[in-house]
Amino acid sequence: MERTALLRSLSCSSLACNRYYFRSSHKLSQSLFSRPSSSLSAARRNQLRLIPNLTGRSLHRCHIRLRPPLSSSLHFNKRFSTLSIRAVASPDVVEINDEVAEKYGFEKVSEEFIKECKSKAVLFKHKKTGAQVMSVSNDDENKVFGIVIRTPPKDSTGIPHILEHSVLCGSRKYPLKEPFVELLKGSLNTFLNAFTYPDRTCYPVASTNTKDFYNLVDVYLDAVFFPKCVEDFQTFQQEGWHFELNNPSEEITYKGVVFNEMKGVYSQPDSVLGRTIQQALFPDNTYGVDSGGDPKVIPKLTFEEFKEFHRKYYHPSNARIWFYGDDDPKERLRILSEYLDNFEASSAPSESVITPQKLFSKPVRVVEKYPASECGDLKRKNMVCLNWLLADKPLDLETELALGFLDHLMLGTPASPLKKILLESGLGDAIVGGGIEDELLQPQFSIGLKNVSEENIQKVEDLIMNTMTKLAEEGFEADAVEASMNTIEFSLRENNTGSFPRGLSLMLRSIGKWIYDMDPFEPLKYEKPLMDLKARIAEEGSKAVFSPLIEKYLLNNPHRVTVEMQPDPEKASRDEAAEKEALAKVKASMTEEDLAELARATQELRLKQETPDHPEALRSVPSLSINDIPKEPTRVPTEVGDINGVKVLQHDLFTNDVLYAEVVLDLSPVKQELLPLLPLFCQSLLEMGTKVLSFVQLNQLIGRKTGGISVYPFTSSIRGKEDPCSHLIVRGKAMAGRADDLFNLMNCVLQEVQFTDQQRFKQFVSQSKARMENRLRGSGHGIAAARMDAKLNIAGWISEQMGGVSYLEFLQALEEKVDQDWSSISLSLEEIRRSLLSRDRCLINLTADGKNLKNVEKFVGKFLDMLPSNSPVETVRWKAQLPPTHEAIVIPTQVNYVGKAGNIYDTGYQLKGSAYVISKYISNTWLWDRIRVSGGAYGGFCDFDTHSGVFSFLSYRDPNLMKSLDVYDGTANFLRELEMDDDTLTKAIIGTIGDVDSYQLPDAKGYSSLLRHLLGITEEERQKRREEILSTSVKDFKEFADAVEAIKDKGVVVAVASPDDVDAANKERSNFFEVKKAL
């Protein structure tokens, strides 16, 4: 899979890391016959549906329906990224006059042409219920719908979160177990999701196919307003919580998808910190509780409270509804009227109003514990974070923009002064706190450090306050201000939301004001406030603009909360013991009849979960037909030529005058023992200085002249070849008029940066170690996947050396070596550079319109002329794999991540396009039902890496361990016994095509074409695979069972799991796992 290859570059890119706990069903990249993934995270097997965080550091406590967290491809400061939405062109909009609105029961409140997104936006009000509708029309084919409900919780039972899961489990028109999953199986959606915020719940969908789009809209409207869950106690049990007892002689346990999801969240130190911060900043309003649910409190929720919450808040009167794109605005109102007309006006809007938190009169300090391992120096594992509530009411747009700009100046890049000083202080290893957070009613600001020793906690606090005081007194360097301004303006011009629909980004921006009864148009109209801010900076100077903001909102603001998190190696076991004790008391209070009834109810629930929907119910979910599907794949224009003897790929696409460029260098000459240094080599290229430029000056120069440069390794198996595809990719973008600057800076980064700054390099090691430790806790499925790959093929071994447990072990040893033998490390970094830099082993990839492609050739030629002309070293044959043993990586956690994998090419299986259909179907049926629905895990999924032949099973936030392995081993029998009618097969095929044809922006099209070139995927093969997908038969499913069967007997198992569960597994199956303590 293309995603698989892309994700081999995990942890090595300069991309920002997403901090959310996502439960989305956003499209996965299915293969190299489709698009590249937007993520470079380690979660490479992500049919647990991952989505990028468009808004950078926003939504930080939002829960999203199905997927775990990942790294975002969008690394720009969130304050401005959501503003950078531009439709393709000014639309020829169908006007809706008052008569048409009246016909469907609406009145037009206001309308505006929003030039920033070249869209006609009309705000309607449904006359009968008061429901508000924003109808945005333009030429964007990627249509978006969203319905947002204000849902303020009064406690931490997780009602909004559980309800968000549950309403998508069947409805009035669609009376099956999970219409949501049926949409996953058979839709062309470009986005299918649900989010729970601390005060609202969002249900967005997107599609480029109009028929498909309206199908999605209808299913979501019916789910929100007429869900079955309010009458179905078993759905509440499944998605929320229930007592589980398989046999009266056994112990009672808690089960529930949200319950286990939140146990995983509360096992992650950064998540515990985020929740502690929010609740300490907002002790007196709805933000003082956890809308996602605290595992200790979730079991207090009753079904009656659950039903009442839906009745009270899930009403059109309390809804904001959003449409965006090129569909008919009249049809939007017609569809809505069919639903809204069923309701009368409600008092929900007044009952759901969010009360502002009053500001404190003096600062507060909070000390909490987080679950930690006994390994390492616990005295150096503290976290300290300073947090401010910035105002007692929402801010005006100009002040928000100015604070966002200030946030970028202080923290937006490695060279930003507050970030730089904290990381260079040696007081901690990594930044915590997200800077400005403004997705709630009142904005906040957070900054701190993790891995701080006890004696340095006060020093961190003092350093933050002193640095802010100095910045207020002295201001910012002119080059820093110019670099931030260029970064902001470039982002606005480029309008790159990755695979995230532009219309959804706009919706989330607008809803940030609209949900609080403010103007929904205002957040979309950033241009004038931004130009006013720029003019004010030019006229008054940046110090006059930003110093008063630092003083008012930070230094002189008494609503400051210092949160100190202390490691507690006993916390996880204490929490588990307390849960077992509570359950033992429950059991002790029950009679034999009660226990028998509970065991019967447990079996009844499981039977319902594992019984397929009736075919008639399945047919109720609208879907497309095969005739709606294009017979040929989307082709990216690609011209293969050369400049100065170097191969150049050129993609003539409209990019709004932006040039996207990739310089691809061959990694094969790099010695095997130097591979673990590559991620740090990449970071050093961007964050160390040259002979004439400090790293700060270099960073600012990149910000002033370009839209950004990133460097990372890319590794993948190549089907049919033993040696992997392995390259270093330097990606950059700039306005076409700055192409010369872009290539000069790429050359500077590659050839002029000096590896001489020992202390900065040590910081890189500490930061990387902290990131890897965090990944182990939060993305254990990615760690398990990488580890299994490393046992099965060379490319997997290479990737694991640069982003898995082996990399963490390397970093732990390297941290000491930096002090003891820096000279050899510096020499090794230089050796890597000498091995890489060769014009003979270089490839250039360019994406822009034809005129700009022509103009840029001379700058590419100049860049190539500066590269060494001859290959200085021979190719190295890398030969390594980890032993194929079953392995348990033990961490302090309340949930597990369980994987099993094998190479099905070794069984003789020959790749067919049907494999994509089958693997997706296995994930969305067998594994969904057994691992998630009845098993209680947050997710279960499989992945087929068609380049290596590795077929993997994985679970995410899983209460089970060996039971999940048994489910994986039953997959072959599931396929052999499968009965599938034509409708079900058609849906499976269409859903797969939806993944293959996922929506791409121009830069992604050019980049995916590059990857196909590197991996030898021809247009003829793409067409062949598409035809095989479209012609998939039930016979293909049956035949695939033989390939999967081999994994049962010959596969390798890796679990990232709790010590207790691993001990129990090794008792159940004698010494099944080799145990490795990772934290």
Side-chain angles (χ1 to χ4, degrees):
M1 291 190 172
E2 184 167 83
R3 180 185 69 257
T4 301
L6 272 170
L7 297 180
R8 301 229 188 258
S9 56
L10 56 96
S11 84
C12 312
S13 112
S14 62
L15 306 182
C17 209
N18 188 326
R19 302 191 306 120
Y20 300 119
Y21 316 108
F22 278 168
R23 295 177 293 100
S24 112
S25 60
H26 182 45
K27 286 294 191 181
L28 68 146
S29 297
Q30 191 67 338
S31 72
L32 260 174
F33 309 105
S34 67
R35 62 177 177 123
S37 166
S38 65
S39 162
L40 295 177
S41 96
R44 78 171 187 82
R45 309 270 208 264
N46 61 347
Q47 215 167 354
L48 252 188
R49 328 288 189 250
L50 306 177
I51 75 166
N53 165 26
L54 176 76
T55 50
R57 293 194 294 267
S58 162
L59 294 173
H60 72 297
R61 291 168 204 95
C62 163
H63 305 271
I64 301 187
R65 176 167 169 78
L66 298 171
R67 303 182 188 173
L70 80 163
S71 300
S72 165
S73 65
L74 302 172
H75 58 281
F76 180 62
N77 177 273
K78 67 101 178 70
R79 156 59 31 229
F80 302 98
S81 65
T82 46
L83 300 176
S84 58
I85 314 302
R86 293 172 185 266
V88 177
S90 298
D92 183 14
V93 177
V94 176
E95 291 286 342
I96 298 183
N97 56 38
D98 292 340
E99 290 76 15
V100 171
E102 179 79 26
K103 174 183 175 183
Y104 295 118
F106 292 89
E107 61 181 347
K108 191 183 295 185
V109 178
S110 58
E111 61 182 307
E112 295 189 34
F113 181 78
I114 311 294
K115 63 180 181 179
E116 286 84 348
C117 55
K118 297 182 180 176
S119 302
K120 179 69 170 292
V122 186
L123 179 64
F124 294 99
K125 183 177 181 179
H126 186 244
K127 294 165 73 173
K128 189 177 178 185
T129 64
Q132 299 176 50
V133 180
M134 180 72 97
S135 182
V136 182
S137 298
N138 50 47
D139 282 351
D140 193 341
E141 66 172 340
N142 200 9
K143 292 165 276 290
V144 173
F145 163 82
I147 181 164
V148 183
I149 311 288
R150 204 157 58 195
T151 51
K154 68 180 189 305
D155 56 37
S156 295
T157 55
I159 298 184
H161 189 184
I162 296 169
L163 198 52
E164 174 239 294
H165 278 244
S166 302
V167 299
L168 295 170
C169 295
S171 63
R172 178 191 61 176
K173 287 174 68 174
Y174 308 108
L176 57 161
K177 288 191 295 184
E178 295 198 77
F180 180 83
V181 180
E182 293 308 306
L183 294 175
L184 287 181
K185 294 176 187 175
S187 164
L188 296 177
N189 72 83
T190 57
F191 198 89
L192 185 67
N193 204 333
F195 324 150
T196 302
Y197 286 74
D199 59 7
R200 58 193 180 270
T201 308
C202 304
Y203 296 91
V205 297
S207 180
T208 57
N209 181 291
T210 303
K211 180 180 176 182
D212 185 55
F213 177 64
Y214 288 138
N215 288 345
L216 297 172
V217 170
D218 196 62
V219 172
Y220 262 46
L221 283 169
D222 205 60
V224 167
F225 291 128
F226 302 104
K228 283 171 49 184
C229 66
V230 295
E231 301 165 356
D232 185 356
F233 180 54
Q234 288 181 321
T235 296
F236 168 77
Q237 291 180 304
Q238 171 184 295
E239 298 299 322
W241 77 276
H242 64 277
F243 294 122
E244 181 163 288
L245 182 65
N246 295 311
N247 186 298
S249 64
E250 297 178 359
E251 297 302 314
I252 296 175
T253 59
Y254 287 126
K255 279 288 179 68
V257 174
V258 168
F259 177 79
N260 283 310
E261 173 192 346
M262 298 312 295
K263 285 186 81 171
V265 169
Y266 276 74
S267 295
Q268 296 173 241
D270 285 15
S271 301
V272 177
L273 173 65
R275 278 156 175 74
T276 303
I277 289 170
Q278 178 180 305
Q279 292 169 23
L281 280 174
F282 298 95
D284 304 318
N285 73 353
T286 192
Y287 305 143
V289 298
D290 191 345
S291 66
D294 181 336
K296 294 176 182 176
V297 185
I298 289 172
K300 296 178 181 178
L301 179 63
T302 68
F303 186 47
E304 287 68 30
E305 291 171 323
F306 172 81
K307 291 191 293 183
E308 174 60 18
F309 195 89
H310 182 274
R311 185 204 65 77
K312 185 175 182 179
Y313 293 128
Y314 274 63
H315 190 282
S317 301
N318 195 39
R320 277 77 173 164
I321 300 171
W322 174 275
F323 274 99
Y324 166 98
D326 64 357
D327 59 310
D328 183 353
K330 290 186 290 187
E331 182 65 8
R332 299 169 177 177
L333 296 187
R334 187 198 66 76
I335 291 170
L336 289 177
S337 67
E338 291 184 359
Y339 281 92
L340 304 185
D341 288 348
N342 288 291
F343 294 86
E344 302 295 332
S346 156
S347 60
S350 60
E351 296 177 22
S352 66
V353 169
I354 311 302
T355 305
Q357 169 67 49
K358 293 180 180 178
L359 296 185
F360 298 164
S361 58
K362 59 182 180 181
V364 172
R365 186 177 197 86
V366 175
V367 180
E368 290 285 350
K369 307 282 188 182
Y370 74 86
S373 150
E374 294 179 354
C375 301
D377 184 2
L378 288 178
K379 291 182 178 179
R380 290 195 66 253
K381 292 293 184 179
N382 296 277
M383 293 189 278
V384 59
C385 191
L386 274 64
N387 315 275
W388 288 263
L389 189 61
L390 300 186
D392 58 0
K393 58 185 178 182
L395 301 172
D396 62 84
L397 187 56
E398 185 175 348
T399 303
E400 280 192 337
L401 284 170
L403 283 169
F405 201 126
L406 174 64
D407 182 49
H408 189 260
L409 281 168
M410 291 197 298
L411 293 169
T413 74
S416 298
L418 182 54
K419 186 173 187 176
K420 176 176 178 288
I421 286 170
L422 283 172
L423 291 175
E424 289 182 349
S425 69
L427 298 174
D429 290 345
I431 297 287
V432 293
I436 290 281
E437 303 277 9
D438 69 345
E439 78 273 17
L440 303 182
L441 177 64
Q442 296 161 269
Q444 64 194 78
F445 182 90
S446 300
I447 185 65
L449 283 174
K450 68 194 305 184
N451 293 347
V452 177
S453 62
E454 293 175 8
E455 64 271 17
N456 286 336
I457 289 173
Q458 188 59 49
K459 293 178 183 177
V460 173
E461 296 179 53
D462 293 342
L463 181 59
I464 291 170
M465 297 302 291
N466 292 338
T467 303
M468 288 181 174
T469 300
K470 184 177 179 182
L471 289 172
E473 292 172 350
E474 300 179 4
F476 297 89
E477 296 178 8
D479 283 353
V481 176
E482 184 187 344
S484 282
M485 183 59 73
N486 181 70
T487 303
I488 291 161
E489 292 191 307
F490 183 92
S491 177
L492 298 175
R493 180 69 178 269
E494 183 196 17
N495 182 29
N496 193 332
T497 60
S499 58
F500 204 73
R502 287 168 165 167
L504 180 52
S505 177
L506 266 181
M507 184 192 95
L508 295 178
R509 187 68 204 151
S510 178
I511 207 72
K513 298 294 184 186
W514 193 15
I515 200 70
Y516 304 118
D517 301 313
M518 292 183 278
D519 182 1
F521 295 94
E522 184 191 69
L524 312 180
K525 300 182 293 185
Y526 60 83
E527 201 166 272
K528 185 179 184 302
L530 187 61
M531 293 308 102
D532 288 347
L533 177 62
K534 187 176 180 181
R536 189 176 159 217
I537 292 171
E539 182 180 341
E540 302 175 22
S542 63
K543 185 173 183 292
V545 174
F546 298 117
S547 293
L549 296 178
I550 298 173
E551 290 168 353
K552 176 180 179 180
Y553 292 105
L554 299 171
L555 295 175
N556 300 329
N557 180 358
H559 196 115
R560 183 176 81 239
V561 176
T562 300
V563 175
E564 179 184 337
M565 302 295 296
Q566 299 174 345
D568 184 349
E570 306 298 326
K571 184 173 183 357
S573 57
R574 271 201 319 274
D575 290 346
E576 284 295 314
E579 181 180 306
K580 288 180 180 178
E581 183 181 351
L583 289 167
K585 288 180 180 178
V586 170
K587 186 175 183 183
S589 70
M590 300 176 80
T591 65
E592 288 186 10
E593 291 77 12
D594 293 334
L595 293 172
E597 173 58 24
L598 180 56
R600 186 201 63 76
T602 298
Q603 294 304 319
E604 184 180 282
L605 176 60
R606 184 174 294 120
L607 179 64
K608 176 187 175 183
Q609 291 168 333
E610 296 178 359
T611 301
D613 284 303
H614 192 277
E616 187 176 331
L618 289 172
R619 283 193 289 272
S620 72
V621 177
S623 63
L624 304 176
S625 71
I626 293 292
N627 293 331
D628 295 316
I629 305 301
K631 298 299 183 284
E632 295 187 0
T634 303
R635 305 191 189 279
V636 179
T638 303
E639 181 180 328
V640 182
D642 76 88
I643 297 176
N644 296 359
V646 173
K647 183 182 288 186
V648 178
L649 310 182
Q650 296 190 2
H651 313 288
D652 184 353
L653 296 165
F654 175 74
T655 60
N656 210 17
D657 212 30
V658 176
L659 169 70
Y660 298 97
E662 285 84 28
V663 176
V664 184
L665 301 167
D666 187 3
L667 275 179
S668 62
V670 177
K671 291 179 181 176
Q672 182 168 306
E673 61 269 24
L674 296 180
L675 292 175
L677 262 181
L678 272 167
L680 294 163
F681 171 80
C682 294
Q683 187 174 2
S684 299
L685 289 179
L686 293 169
E687 296 185 35
M688 284 194 180
T690 69
K691 284 184 179 179
V692 295
L693 295 172
S694 69
F695 104 85
V696 172
Q697 291 171 321
L698 177 58
N699 197 279
Q700 290 173 351
L701 195 58
I702 290 171
R704 285 160 50 203
K705 303 293 186 183
T706 78
I709 296 173
S710 60
V711 188
Y712 54 90
F714 166 85
T715 304
S716 171
S717 296
I718 300 177
R719 189 163 54 85
K721 294 185 179 181
E722 183 180 358
D723 291 335
C725 167
S726 199
H727 298 275
L728 187 96
I729 299 180
V730 184
R731 297 191 77 181
K733 55 188 177 183
M735 302 310 298
R738 288 266 175 91
D740 193 17
D741 290 322
L742 176 63
F743 282 99
N744 283 337
L745 283 164
M746 283 183 163
N747 178 71
C748 177
V749 163
L750 284 170
Q751 300 211 60
E752 296 176 23
V753 166
Q754 296 186 308
F755 305 119
T756 55
D757 194 332
Q758 179 180 357
Q759 288 309 307
R760 276 201 64 72
F761 188 83
K762 189 173 182 180
Q763 290 169 36
F764 301 162
V765 176
S766 297
Q767 292 164 28
S768 298
K769 184 162 72 75
R771 280 195 297 269
M772 285 303 305
E773 289 171 349
N774 199 47
R775 281 195 54 230
L776 257 174
R777 294 170 180 269
S779 301
H781 58 302
I783 295 291
R787 195 76 173 172
M788 291 188 297
D789 271 359
K791 296 170 182 285
L792 295 170
N793 60 78
I794 296 170
W797 179 86
I798 295 168
S799 293
E800 210 270 340
Q801 292 291 305
M802 296 189 288
V805 173
S806 296
Y807 183 52
L808 176 58
E809 293 171 337
F810 169 77
L811 293 169
Q812 290 165 342
L814 187 64
E815 200 166 29
E816 295 183 11
K817 188 178 178 182
V818 174
D819 291 326
Q820 300 165 358
D821 193 9
W822 165 243
S823 60
S824 71
I825 296 171
S826 179
L827 288 172
S828 294
L829 293 169
E830 284 292 357
E831 183 177 349
I832 291 173
R833 173 153 58 190
R834 284 196 306 274
S835 301
L836 284 170
L837 290 183
S838 168
R839 190 192 310 167
D840 300 336
R841 296 179 181 269
C842 180
L843 171 71
I844 304 292
N845 190 61
L846 302 171
T847 305
D849 62 51
K851 179 183 175 183
N852 285 325
L853 287 173
K854 186 67 177 175
N855 292 339
V856 81
E857 288 183 3
K858 56 182 176 291
F859 305 122
V860 175
K862 187 172 77 169
F863 168 83
L864 292 171
D865 285 343
M866 289 187 281
L867 288 177
S869 58
N870 296 312
S871 180
V873 289
E874 294 299 317
T875 296
V876 176
R877 294 296 298 273
W878 300 319
K879 291 287 185 182
Q881 286 179 210
L882 294 179
T885 55
H886 300 328
E887 195 171 22
I889 299 162
V890 173
I891 64 170
T893 180
Q894 298 182 62
V895 290
N896 305 316
Y897 305 85
V898 186
K900 187 168 187 177
N903 191 322
I904 64 173
Y905 288 165
D906 291 346
T907 69
Y909 175 76
Q910 297 291 314
L911 177 63
K912 291 177 62 178
S914 59
Y916 299 110
V917 182
I918 297 165
S919 60
K920 180 180 174 76
Y921 188 81
I922 292 169
S923 288
N924 286 338
T925 54
W926 172 248
L927 296 178
W928 178 279
D929 290 338
R930 300 302 169 111
I931 299 294
R932 183 186 188 275
V933 175
S934 61
Y938 194 8
F941 48 101
C942 65
D943 180 61
F944 181 29
D945 178 353
T946 57
H947 306 301
S948 68
V950 173
F951 191 96
S952 308
F953 298 98
L954 284 160
S955 68
Y956 181 78
R957 291 182 183 163
D958 191 346
N960 305 306
L961 205 169
M962 304 309 285
K963 286 181 181 177
S964 293
L965 294 177
D966 291 340
V967 173
Y968 302 159
D969 290 346
T971 304
N973 284 339
F974 163 74
L975 291 174
R976 291 191 182 105
E977 296 169 6
L978 183 65
E979 294 181 4
M980 180 183 283
D981 60 25
D982 290 344
D983 286 346
T984 303
L985 179 59
T986 297
K987 282 183 180 178
I989 292 169
I990 290 170
T992 304
I993 290 292
D995 293 337
V996 170
D997 288 351
S998 288
Y999 188 73
Q1000 285 185 301
L1001 295 176
D1003 64 314
K1005 291 179 180 178
Y1007 188 64
S1008 57
S1009 181
L1010 165 67
L1011 296 187
R1012 284 193 282 269
H1013 179 86
L1014 294 176
L1015 296 171
I1017 305 295
T1018 64
E1019 291 301 316
E1020 291 75 21
E1021 184 176 356
R1022 292 183 73 208
Q1023 181 64 44
K1024 178 184 177 185
R1025 298 296 172 227
R1026 190 179 190 87
E1027 291 169 1
E1028 290 170 347
I1029 290 170
L1030 292 171
S1031 62
T1032 297
S1033 67
V1034 176
K1035 181 183 176 185
D1036 293 317
F1037 282 75
K1038 308 286 186 182
E1039 291 175 352
F1040 198 74
D1042 294 333
V1044 175
E1045 183 75 54
I1047 302 170
K1048 176 180 177 180
D1049 300 320
K1050 299 179 181 178
V1052 295
V1053 175
V1054 175
V1056 178
S1058 70
D1060 289 349
D1061 286 349
V1062 173
D1063 287 345
N1066 275 340
K1067 288 174 183 175
E1068 180 183 335
R1069 301 184 196 177
S1070 181
N1071 297 318
F1072 182 81
F1073 286 112
E1074 287 188 5
V1075 180
K1076 176 184 284 288
K1077 281 194 173 183
L1079 291 177

